[in-house]
Amino acid sequence: MSLVDHCQENHALVLDPILMLVHGQGKIDAGVSNYYLVEEIQSTYTGMMIAIPDVEWKFLNHLSLPAFAELLKQWATQVDLKRFASSPKARKQPQPKRKREPNRPHVSTARLLADKQRSPKHSRLEQQTSNLLETRLVQALET
């Protein structure tokens, strides 16, 4: 399991309920990006571990569960949810229908490969190309 996956799981278990409690479930559901939250936590964590010695974090080991929850609520009030707004998903555009060109008939790759295995001398594409050239030559000669 990667660090990002681990952080996202912990985020869902710990931060989501606290943020919902402090800011309301509607705001969290409406558009807080888990990706941006986890990215922020990871980058901040690295800097905090460099700047703040391990001794400073030892007090967390001695907190009771209610005291730890209260501390998390205090920290959650400082979170600016606008910084972690998720991007709205764009509507997927329908694929435009392909235009069929009568002068350039479609030949599938599978058909070309099958023809090549059957007859290595003349493939269907070569036959269609020669037929087109012959008809164009005949048309040019008639005019």
Side-chain angles (χ1 to χ4, degrees), residues 1-13:
M1 179 180 285
S2 72
L3 182 60
V4 172
D5 294 334
H6 186 67
C7 286
Q8 286 177 341
E9 282 182 16
N10 286 340
H11 167 267
L13 294 173

Side-chain angles (χ1 to χ4, degrees), residues 32-106:
V32 173
S33 168
N34 289 339
Y35 174 80
Y36 291 138
L37 269 171
V38 169
E39 188 175 301
E40 175 72 18
I41 291 167
Q42 285 179 331
S43 60
T44 304
Y45 175 81
T46 304
M48 285 177 25
M49 291 302 108
I50 293 170
I52 302 171
D54 289 342
V55 176
E56 298 291 326
W57 297 104
K58 297 271 185 196
F59 78 95
L60 293 173
N61 292 334
H62 304 293
L63 286 179
S64 65
L65 189 57
F68 183 65
E70 191 59 39
L71 182 63
L72 287 177
K73 281 196 266 184
Q74 288 174 6
W75 288 344
T77 59
Q78 303 300 316
V79 175
D80 181 16
L81 295 179
K82 292 177 187 171
R83 289 187 56 210
F84 307 109
S86 59
S87 302
K89 295 204 169 39
R91 277 193 96 163
K92 192 171 184 179
Q93 296 294 325
Q95 287 279 353
K97 293 199 172 197
R98 293 186 179 195
K99 297 176 184 170
R100 186 165 182 249
E101 297 181 34
N103 296 341
R104 296 178 62 194
H106 170 75

